[in-house]
Amino acid sequence: DVKVTQSSRYLVKRTGEKVFLECVQDMDHENMFWYRQDPGLGLRLIYFSYDVKMKEKGDIPEGYSVSREKKERFSLILESASTNQTSMYLCASSLGGQGATEAFFGQGTRLTVV
Amino acid sequence: GQQLNQSPQSMFIQEGEDVSMNCTSSSIFNTWLWYKQDPGEGPVLLIALYKAGELTSNGRLTAQFGITRKDSFLNISASIPSDVGIYFCAGQLRGGGADGLTFGKGTHLIIQP
């Protein structure tokens, strides 16, 4: 079974802090994604990566950056956390290639910025 | 980004009832996926559909890829308490690459005792 693991289930950070959310997948997937989930807004794509050191902006990249130094690991960085970044963050991975679009999710990180 | 219209937004049903939900779009999709999310957890893939007209079952769940490639539905038969959760549809646009899936906003399924 595919396993996508997020480093923390719950985080509480202060406004202005730099925050790192880590995600690791163990199935050699090419693609990795970061989403945030908010009530009434569904899942929104922040950034994705289709290869090591490659990254692409999603729908809401402002205030975030990402890093993919190794294939299995995709990190989301909040450069200076703000209260409007309080949310559930979900990492996902997929195999990539034509017809291989099934994304598998981690358990989520609930971030609270105070 | 592209929009998927998922309905209903929420459903209040009795245990044992059948459930039906759907997603529609103005765009053509290559792939339709259905996920379930339990409270405090990440979404879990239920069913994947890759061909127009395809009808696929997974236990009490049945999903179909619409002939027009612009819609999909999910049915749950004889609901049980553990079916409670949020169900999401997701689609991969025709011609889309690795830029992620487009998600519906979810259907909250609540089972009344």
Side-chain angles (χ1 to χ4, degrees), chain A residues 74-93:
Chain A
F74 193 35
S75 303
L76 180 69
I77 303 154
L78 286 66
E79 297 291 342
S80 178
S82 63
T83 55
N84 64 12
Q85 292 178 309
T86 292
S87 187
M88 174 73 140
Y89 289 88
L90 292 164
C91 174
S93 72

Side-chain angles (χ1 to χ4, degrees), chain A residues 101-103, chain B residues 31-35 45-50 72 88-92 101:
Chain A
T101 56
E102 300 168 22
Chain B
T31 303
W32 284 97
L33 307 174
W34 285 93
Y35 289 86
L45 182 65
L46 298 174
I47 292 179
L49 302 159
Y50 290 101
S72 178
F88 291 98
C89 62
Q92 174 78 47
L101 298 165

